Amino acid sequence: MTATLATDRSPEGSTERTSAADGTPRRPSLSPSRAADFKSCPLLYRFRTIDRLPEKKSRAAVRGTLVHAVLEKLYDLPQPHRTVDAARELIAPAWEELRQEEGIEELFATEDGAETGTGGLEAWLASAGTLVENYFALEDPTRIQPSGREELIEVTLPDGLLLRGYVDRLDVAPTGAIRVVDYKTGAVPREAFEAKALFQMKFYALVLWRTRGVVAAQLKLLYLGDGDALTYAPDEAELVRFERTLQAIWTAIERAVATGDFRANKSRLCNWCDHQALCPAFGGTPPPFPAEAAAQAGWRTTLPVTPV
């Protein structure tokens, strides 16, 4: 799977820590995307979570956001009206809303700032429409009534670790059985990469089990790029093991924050990284570790704290 296949709408997609309901800073937390960042490259985790360095938007990522918005809005319609034609009609208003965000318009301009021809944008919107249409080959939305969409789920584990993330869709059967559904705009991964794809879903299943006391009956990844699906049924023992995995990741993160030691891990994913100029693996030098900002955000660090 490449870095452009998933869209991250979790609260830490742009910032790892948001404010709580009372306006106080939320303590450090872990999400599927940030856990995956640390596993793949601790330095990338630091740049995104501690330094909060800006990253360029890509057409592929924005298209994923657009498709997710359309599928979310589709379920606002009465069940009989959730048709392919209705979904197509949702694309234009969803795009008009999305393009108001900073940096989106620039993706459809030439290097000198002049607007591209309408064919470029039209082709891009058509590709989003194809992904939306592919969804209907995987599910019949007229037969589904979600329990939750784009739903924030979170839990504090007994050791104090806060887990947070957004679930694309939650379905709850009359029997109480839970299905967790996630939309992907790429193709279904090869068997060797299935475990990596399911990491995010097991994260959600763990949070739901800890908050609701029910193990999800099915984790379902819908790959709109090729109209295929990946499903999995976890069990309680597996979720216990997965919880230990997350706790180990978090221990490593806390150790790295305390010492400021975030190592770069060079891999094929570096081809999609915006931070190569600051990465030692590419001859760059990271900025000084922002110990003051880390401390203010609730991290424990042994490094000297100086104003940033």
Side-chain angles (χ1 to χ4, degrees):
M1 295 176 66
T2 69
T4 59
L5 294 188
T7 56
D8 181 8
R9 295 151 325 283
S10 58
E12 62 294 337
S14 57
T15 170
E16 180 75 10
R17 274 158 229 87
T18 58
S19 296
D22 60 2
T24 60
R26 186 179 291 276
R27 71 181 188 276
S29 62
L30 189 64
S31 74
S33 54
R34 296 295 81 85
D37 283 346
F38 190 84
K39 286 178 63 181
S40 64
C41 178
L43 186 58
L44 175 62
Y45 175 93
R46 180 202 141 171
F47 285 161
R48 285 179 168 171
T49 308
I50 309 298
D51 296 83
R52 314 245 187 120
L53 298 182
E55 295 183 341
K56 297 177 183 177
K57 292 181 172 65
S58 71
R59 290 192 181 191
V62 173
R63 183 178 62 181
T65 302
L66 175 61
V67 170
H68 276 80
V70 170
L71 294 180
E72 181 186 7
K73 294 176 186 298
L74 179 67
Y75 281 96
D76 286 333
L77 302 176
Q79 286 177 254
H81 297 169
R82 298 170 190 164
T83 64
V84 174
D85 289 339
R88 290 195 194 101
E89 292 177 0
L90 292 171
I91 294 175
W95 166 239
E96 287 303 316
E97 182 177 340
L98 180 61
R99 72 189 304 174
Q100 304 305 316
E101 295 184 13
E102 183 179 355
I104 299 295
E105 288 284 2
E106 286 81 351
L107 291 173
F108 299 92
T110 59
E111 291 183 356
D112 62 2
E115 289 296 328
T116 58
T118 56
L121 177 57
E122 287 178 356
W124 181 84
L125 287 172
S127 68
T130 298
L131 294 174
V132 170
E133 291 171 13
N134 288 348
Y135 167 71
F136 288 82
L138 295 168
E139 290 186 322
D140 179 0
T142 66
R143 300 173 61 87
I144 299 170
Q145 190 56 42
S147 171
R149 290 168 288 145
E150 296 291 335
E151 183 168 326
L152 173 64
I153 59 173
E154 59 183 359
V155 68
T156 300
L157 299 181
D159 67 348
L161 171 55
L162 174 61
L163 304 178
R164 311 180 74 229
Y166 274 102
V167 177
D168 284 350
R169 202 182 82 218
L170 281 177
D171 301 333
V172 179
T175 60
I178 296 175
R179 176 171 62 189
V180 184
V181 180
D182 195 78
Y183 309 121
K184 299 296 184 186
T185 53
V188 69
R190 297 191 301 272
E191 186 175 351
F193 297 95
E194 284 186 1
K196 184 176 181 181
L198 287 169
F199 180 91
Q200 171 190 12
M201 304 302 281
K202 290 180 182 179
F203 186 105
Y204 297 148
L206 172 61
V207 175
L208 291 168
W209 174 50
R210 284 301 191 187
T211 54
R212 303 190 184 195
V214 178
V215 175
Q218 185 182 75
L219 310 178
K220 189 173 185 180
L221 286 156
L222 301 180
Y223 288 90
L224 309 179
D226 57 0
D228 206 344
L230 176 62
T231 60
Y232 187 76
D235 58 41
E236 187 171 312
E238 183 176 17
L239 294 182
V240 170
R241 293 192 298 271
F242 188 74
E243 181 175 285
R244 294 188 188 127
T245 297
L246 294 181
Q247 289 168 328
I249 292 172
W250 188 247
T251 297
I253 291 173
E254 289 187 313
R255 185 183 307 118
V257 173
T259 61
D261 185 10
F262 288 85
R263 305 294 175 89
N265 181 31
K266 197 170 183 178
S267 71
R268 289 182 298 175
L269 293 176
C270 295
N271 295 331
W272 291 275
C273 183
D274 287 338
H275 310 301
Q276 289 187 14
L278 300 174
C279 180
F282 292 88
T285 301
F289 185 77
E292 172 72 13
Q296 289 180 353
W299 292 101
R300 295 179 181 177
T301 177
T302 60
L303 299 175
V305 175
T306 56
V308 292

